[in-house]
Amino acid sequence: KIADITAAWVTALEASTELSTYCTTEFGKDVTIFVNFNAKNKPKVDVTPLVAIYPGSKQEGIGNADYVYTLGVSWVLKDVTGPTKTGKTYTMPYLEKLDAMGQIIQKVLTTASSEHLITDIQYSIEPTDFWPMIIGHMEMTISVPVTLGTGLAY
């Protein structure tokens, strides 16, 4: 079930000392985790850095060679510095921090279960749509080959 995958991912994120240390060191506070985040009903206060896990989708059935589960994961930071100019070039230092946080999240989730590994990751960063909030997003897929007696136990 998607809920079982979500629960395992939440447990892994909560237990990650690497993620907690990174957020505390870089942003002065620990990560906040949202499950089934509703972007239309966002928190009224700044709870960044945050990770949101979305329910996703699944494909199961007699005709499938694999059971496929896809869940979305986003992470959000508030850019408190804005663009930095060096010579003729402007950069956004918080994008590097967002990407570093995303890499930690990816590592945590890809090692959350040795039984059902993530087989595909679509990773993107959205630096401007919601500025000063900058967002990274992953669509993560787990494929479970169907064999006699196959079931998803997370």
Side-chain angles (χ1 to χ4, degrees):
K1 294 189 316 188
I2 289 174
D4 295 339
I5 298 169
T6 300
W9 286 6
V10 168
T11 299
L13 289 167
E14 287 179 343
S16 173
T17 55
E18 183 179 7
L19 181 60
S20 289
T21 299
Y22 181 78
C23 290
T24 303
T25 302
E26 292 294 329
F27 314 114
K29 56 185 174 177
D30 204 354
V31 67
T32 302
I33 301 167
F34 282 86
V35 178
N36 303 328
F37 185 74
N38 180 349
K40 292 182 180 181
N41 189 20
K42 295 182 278 261
K44 304 294 185 231
V45 296
D46 179 12
V47 293
T48 62
L50 76 83
V51 176
I53 301 173
Y54 301 91
S57 64
K58 67 179 183 174
Q59 292 179 322
E60 296 178 337
I62 295 171
N64 293 332
D66 294 327
Y67 291 164
V68 180
Y69 305 86
T70 303
L71 287 84
V73 178
S74 292
W75 59 104
V76 182
L77 298 177
K78 183 175 183 179
D79 184 349
V80 296
T81 62
T84 302
K85 185 177 181 188
T86 305
K88 297 179 181 180
T89 304
Y90 284 90
T91 59
M92 295 182 71
Y94 257 64
L95 287 182
E96 291 178 21
K97 294 180 181 193
L98 184 77
D99 191 24
M101 184 176 167
Q103 294 301 312
I104 294 168
I105 293 165
Q106 180 177 330
K107 183 168 74 172
V108 169
L109 297 182
T110 55
T111 58
S113 171
S114 60
E115 186 175 337
H116 299 101
L117 300 176
I118 294 168
T119 56
D120 186 59
I121 299 170
Q122 302 295 318
Y123 185 107
S124 64
I125 293 177
E126 304 296 333
T128 57
D129 289 349
F130 301 100
W131 195 86
M133 300 305 199
I134 55 175
I135 301 169
H137 184 76
M138 287 182 269
E139 290 290 323
M140 305 180 93
T141 302
I142 297 171
S143 294
V144 180
V146 178
T147 58
L148 188 59
T150 294
L152 181 64
Y154 231 94

